[in-house]
Amino acid sequence: MEKRTLHSPDLTARNVERIAELFPQVITESRDAEGNVTLAIDFDLLRQELSDHLIEGPQERYQLDWPGKRAAAFAANAPIAKTLRPVREESVDFDTTKNLFIEGDNLEALKLLQESYLGKVKLIYIDPPYNTGNDFVYEDDFAESTSEYLKRSGQYSESGDRLVANTEANGRFHSDWLSMMYPRLKLAKNLLAPEGLMFISTDDSEASALVQIAGEVFGRSNVVATIAWEKRYTRSNNANNFYSVKDTLVLCRRSEAASRIKELRGDEAAGIYSNPDNDPRGPWTSASYVNPATKAARPNLAYAIVRPEDGASIEHPTHAWKFQRSENERHAAEGRLWWGREGLAQYPRLKIFLSEMDDGMVPIDLWSHESAGTTDEGGNEVKALFDGKAVFDFPKPTKLIRKLLGIFVPPSSDWSKDMIVLDFFAGSSSTAHAVLAQNAEDGGSRRFIMVQLPEATPAGSIARAEGFSDIAQLSRERIRRAVAEITVHVADEDEASDVQDVGFRTLRVDTTNLADSFAVPDALRQGDLLAAIESVKPDRTGDDLLFQVLIDWGLDLTLPIERDVERGLLRVDDDSLVACFSHEVTSETVSYVANLRPLRAVFLDAGFATDAARINAEQIFREVSPETEVRTI
């Protein structure tokens, strides 16, 4: 039963709707007096539509604008008082793995990764929300969730009942989606290596807007391609108009260092090469020798070619050849002209040898379901791991992501075998699964960083029934189960160190470890030890403090960690960092650490019993290991 509003109709809104029907191009989004995003009319554009001459107005420029854009740009740069806390019980091979799984809001996670992974990531793939009218998960300071918006605008009752449909027509979805994506793209770009690539999945709802904001963030020349992926190959007659069988992948590069992009030559491509004449140079394929241009257009390429089998003089009646006469003579001398098995073909073809080709091919912007998989395949992969249960909706197939892993920047195809792969909309972690599977197949050493919000699984869903309370929990379990089905490759069976890395280190976005009154580690040096004060929250562990230090120092968050339980030390990456967070730091411990001559050392300030103990520690390092950078926390 429809509930009456008990007030007169909103005639302005009705007029806007009527104008939108006639002139949809003049409809934009704006904010009302209360700050609500609503549909509005661009009156300059409307005047132009109703005029037979050019209307003077604001200076035009090419740009994409929306309500909240400035706040979104600010959000990318605004600092946060957060850290990453290790969660050992949700990790696999915590102390030695090079893979990361970060649980938390990806905007915050991207900020926390800025120093440690600045310019180090070669490949980013994300599959963000497609903006089809569903609720947003990410509640940034500048973009409300749908539920908050509806409640504030009177469209939700106190009990949470929906009073009106939350359709795209309410004027906020495009702006909110752009505001969500914009700062994340800016932060992601910083993490890319100079030759790094970023692929972004989307559908038609925001594809054009995504290309525009990607062009603004990366530079228009660095938006390399918009790729159509055939995600399904059967149609549904239940659709009202066109049924979509494709998604779009927008490819951006970090810089012109990726001036050439190739993809690995797969078995299908290699299959076109054969050796019917037993040429000692190995398998080959052939290409037409006839130029699309006519003889009249390219007279310098019109000449007679001698066919060796019968000495006939061969000319094309209408078209020129592709190569100049001198090049043709070289081809003939090197035995590169193919005249068919009997040697009497009408025209020659040029032999192209597989041995002379580089590892890659020029990619195309249309990916078939045979080469990149389908959404059904992605769903079946998850079902196979979870005993036939569809615990996640619309996961991307690993075949698609493995195709991305085969894209590389020349000259070496090995570029793609040793890289960090980041996915900050991890979902069910199809990306991690694909990385592990590809490493197992080709012996690569790719590493993954997954970021996933602990978004609650829907009540009554299969995932909830299977015991998964949130998506991050399900995502980690998918990685564990995928590992169980992947054959672990060992390059040398006698060396266990060559076993593929199939673990992951779980970190959780949380509030800073430091209390309200604290001494920031970055600001402290040896001379500041006297001024240091107790600053750590009482519930934080040594592991927590170690990862705060790694972030503050900009160190890789997957460096191997060794524990010296006897002395209460955490030794990172062969003593590139030694941490002592004991509450009783003795001079013997300080001397032991100094004699390790680490690059960096950090102590818990509260561990020094007196000011004299701090001064003594500083003096020990000056005498024993003056090159060590010492800090307290």
Side-chain angles (χ1 to χ4, degrees):
M1 182 182 297
E2 182 181 356
K3 186 173 181 179
R4 303 292 294 176
T5 59
L6 300 181
H7 57 69
S8 61
D10 186 340
L11 298 181
T12 299
R14 181 178 297 178
N15 290 335
V16 170
E17 292 174 1
R18 291 173 177 172
I19 292 174
E21 292 178 3
L22 293 173
F23 307 107
Q25 66 270 30
V26 307
I27 301 301
T28 184
E29 295 176 0
S30 184
R31 292 191 183 275
D32 61 19
E34 287 74 37
N36 302 323
V37 179
T38 182
L39 294 181
I41 296 174
D42 186 323
F43 288 101
D44 288 312
L45 288 179
L46 180 60
R47 289 172 60 207
Q48 187 61 66
E49 291 294 332
L50 301 177
S51 177
D52 60 358
H53 61 278
L54 184 64
I55 297 296
E56 295 294 330
Q59 183 176 356
E60 296 177 333
R61 57 177 174 166
Y62 186 84
Q63 65 175 353
L64 175 66
D65 207 355
W66 67 91
K69 182 177 181 180
R70 283 178 294 177
F74 171 79
N77 300 324
I80 55 172
K82 296 291 182 75
T83 190
L84 294 172
R85 299 181 66 185
V87 188
R88 284 182 170 269
E89 64 273 16
E90 293 288 353
S91 305
V92 177
D93 299 331
F94 183 93
D95 287 329
T96 57
T97 183
K98 293 289 188 181
N99 299 315
L100 279 181
F101 187 99
I102 300 175
E103 179 181 306
D105 186 299
N106 54 18
L107 182 64
E108 296 173 341
L110 288 169
K111 290 185 178 185
L112 293 169
L113 294 174
Q114 288 296 298
E115 293 300 322
S116 296
Y117 294 95
L118 185 70
K120 296 180 181 179
V121 178
K122 287 185 178 178
L123 178 65
I124 299 176
Y125 169 69
I126 58 171
D127 181 23
Y130 280 6
N131 200 28
T132 57
N134 297 321
D135 289 358
F136 286 122
V137 172
Y138 295 92
E139 302 176 22
D140 303 324
D141 292 339
F142 53 89
E144 300 171 301
S145 68
T146 300
S147 59
E148 288 177 338
Y149 172 79
L150 291 174
K151 185 173 181 180
R152 180 174 57 76
S153 60
Q155 299 179 57
Y156 259 114
S157 66
E158 290 301 319
S159 61
D161 298 323
R162 184 184 290 273
L163 301 181
V164 296
N166 182 31
T167 65
E168 187 176 351
N170 66 20
R172 66 183 296 272
F173 285 103
H174 292 294
S175 294
D176 275 5
W177 189 86
L178 290 167
S179 291
M180 179 188 70
M181 292 298 297
Y182 192 65
R184 289 166 172 83
L185 292 182
K186 290 187 69 174
L187 292 168
K189 176 188 175 183
N190 296 339
L191 300 179
L192 280 176
E195 72 278 21
L197 305 175
M198 181 172 186
F199 290 86
I200 311 164
S201 282
T202 187
D203 66 0
D204 290 343
S205 60
E206 295 291 359
S208 59
L210 176 59
V211 170
Q212 290 194 67
I213 60 171
E216 184 168 323
V217 171
F218 289 87
R220 292 185 65 191
S221 64
N222 291 323
V223 179
V224 178
T226 52
I227 303 161
W229 164 50
E230 187 185 20
K231 64 181 178 181
R232 55 176 68 94
Y233 54 91
T234 58
R235 75 181 69 199
S236 171
N237 284 323
N238 294 326
N240 292 327
N241 38 59
F242 275 74
Y243 182 68
S244 178
V245 296
K246 68 164 177 62
D247 270 355
T248 297
L249 283 86
V250 178
L251 169 58
C252 306
R253 63 184 181 184
R254 176 65 177 84
S255 71
E256 292 185 359
S259 59
R260 297 173 61 227
I261 298 174
K262 294 291 187 71
E263 67 174 328
L264 293 175
R265 192 179 305 278
D267 294 338
E268 180 181 348
I272 67 173
Y273 292 84
S274 62
N275 196 359
D277 59 348
N278 296 316
D279 194 304
R281 289 168 287 191
W284 52 271
T285 188
S286 64
S288 172
Y289 218 72
V290 178
N291 199 318
T294 65
K295 289 183 174 181
R298 300 299 301 274
N300 61 315
L301 300 179
Y303 50 85
I305 298 177
V306 176
R307 187 165 57 194
E309 183 68 21
D310 59 1
S313 181
I314 305 298
E315 289 191 60
H316 197 281
T318 57
H319 285 255
W321 305 117
K322 286 185 177 178
F323 306 94
Q324 294 184 1
R325 185 185 295 272
S326 59
E327 190 76 356
N328 165 256
E329 291 172 351
R330 182 177 69 82
H331 291 159
E334 294 178 357
R336 292 179 179 269
L337 296 184
W338 172 245
W339 293 91
R341 291 182 180 274
E342 305 299 326
L344 296 173
Q346 184 177 11
Y347 306 116
R349 293 180 65 84
L350 179 66
K351 294 169 73 172
I352 301 171
F353 293 93
L354 179 60
S355 61
E356 296 176 349
M357 302 296 292
D358 61 24
D359 292 336
M361 306 182 299
V362 175
I364 62 173
D365 59 4
L366 176 61
W367 291 2
S368 67
H369 69 272
E370 292 95 346
S371 66
T374 66
T375 51
D376 285 343
E377 290 178 25
N380 290 334
E381 286 177 325
V382 172
K383 287 181 182 179
L385 294 174
F386 290 88
D387 303 319
K389 306 288 198 320
V391 295
F392 193 86
D393 294 330
F394 312 117
K396 289 295 185 287
T398 56
K399 194 172 185 179
L400 170 67
I401 299 162
R402 291 179 72 174
K403 186 172 179 67
L404 303 182
L405 297 176
I407 304 292
F408 68 95
V409 176
S412 173
S413 62
D414 288 340
W415 180 90
S416 63
K417 287 188 176 183
D418 179 18
M419 64 180 176
I420 298 174
V421 181
L422 169 63
D423 183 348
F424 53 89
F425 285 94
S428 70
S429 279
S430 293
T431 299
H433 187 169
V435 167
L436 293 170
Q438 192 64 36
N439 282 346
E441 180 175 300
D442 63 16
S445 55
R446 303 169 188 85
R447 304 159 51 187
F448 64 74
I449 301 175
M450 300 292 104
V451 183
Q452 177 56 43
L453 188 76
E455 175 190 357
T457 53
S461 65
I462 296 174
R464 182 70 65 88
E466 290 296 304
F468 300 106
S469 60
D470 62 63
I471 301 299
Q473 181 186 15
L474 186 154
S475 188
R476 287 190 294 267
E477 182 62 19
R478 194 255 176 93
I479 300 174
R480 296 188 189 99
R481 296 191 183 199
V483 166
E485 292 200 354
I486 293 172
T487 302
V488 178
H489 285 193
V490 181
D492 184 343
E493 295 181 0
D494 295 330
E495 296 187 22
S497 61
D498 287 334
V499 176
Q500 178 190 347
D501 180 3
V502 292
F504 58 89
R505 182 176 286 181
T506 297
L507 307 176
R508 181 173 291 144
V509 177
D510 205 338
T511 57
T512 179
N513 296 310
L514 305 181
D516 291 338
S517 296
F518 61 84
V520 181
D522 256 351
L524 287 177
R525 297 294 183 270
Q526 285 140 312
D528 299 323
L529 289 174
L530 283 172
I533 60 173
E534 174 64 62
S535 59
V536 177
K537 292 178 179 177
D539 64 333
R540 302 303 165 97
T541 67
D543 277 352
D544 293 330
L545 299 179
L546 176 63
F547 277 87
Q548 179 109 37
V549 169
L550 291 176
I551 292 170
D552 290 341
W553 249 314
L555 300 177
D556 191 318
L557 301 180
T558 63
L559 292 175
I561 302 170
E562 295 180 19
R563 297 177 172 279
D564 185 338
V565 179
E566 180 182 354
R567 297 179 178 83
L569 303 179
L570 294 169
R571 300 172 65 173
V572 180
D573 193 32
D574 294 329
D575 295 336
S576 64
L577 166 65
V578 177
C580 178
F581 299 124
S582 170
H583 281 78
E584 296 181 2
V585 180
T586 65
S587 59
E588 289 78 14
T589 298
V590 173
S591 295
Y592 179 83
V593 174
N595 278 286
L596 293 174
R597 303 178 72 86
L599 295 177
R600 307 169 187 86
V602 61
F603 297 90
L604 184 65
D605 177 66
F608 295 104
T610 64
D611 291 344
R614 294 190 189 93
I615 296 173
N616 183 54
E618 182 179 4
Q619 185 62 33
I620 290 173
F621 273 95
R622 283 178 177 171
E623 294 176 357
V624 177
S625 184
E627 69 277 8
T628 299
E629 185 176 358
V630 184
R631 299 185 188 179
T632 62
I633 189 171

